[in-house]
Amino acid sequence: MKGDRVEIVIDAGEGTRTYEVAASRAGRRVEIATRRGVVEVSEVTRTGTPVRTARFMASRVLALVEHPVAADGREPSG
């Protein structure tokens, strides 16, 4: 859903770096997959076609934080 986003916190050696992948248009969503030591975060269309993909070594990922959007289009408070 538009507005869904995932923050990825990576160990960069001398500190941490934060990356973000977001669903930028209506009908798109963000999917997370872990395969063979690689974490893949993708923005995909309704048909499942990837639009943008970010790949990270699983051993370097410190945190994956999902920020879903509520059904009414607002971020949930919590």
Side-chain angles (χ1 to χ4, degrees), residues 11-71:
D11 175 15
E14 297 178 3
T16 61
R17 287 192 179 182
T18 302
Y19 297 92
E20 185 175 293
V21 175
S24 59
R25 291 183 150 180
R28 293 189 180 169
R29 63 188 184 277
V30 179
E31 293 184 349
I32 301 169
T34 304
R35 297 182 189 106
R36 295 187 177 191
V38 175
V39 175
E40 190 174 275
V41 182
S42 300
E43 177 185 0
V44 296
T45 62
R46 288 183 178 134
T47 61
T49 306
V51 178
R52 292 185 300 147
T53 301
R55 291 183 183 97
F56 305 95
M57 292 175 49
S59 60
R60 295 284 186 180
V61 176
L62 299 175
L64 282 170
V65 183
E66 296 182 62
H67 299 278
V69 173

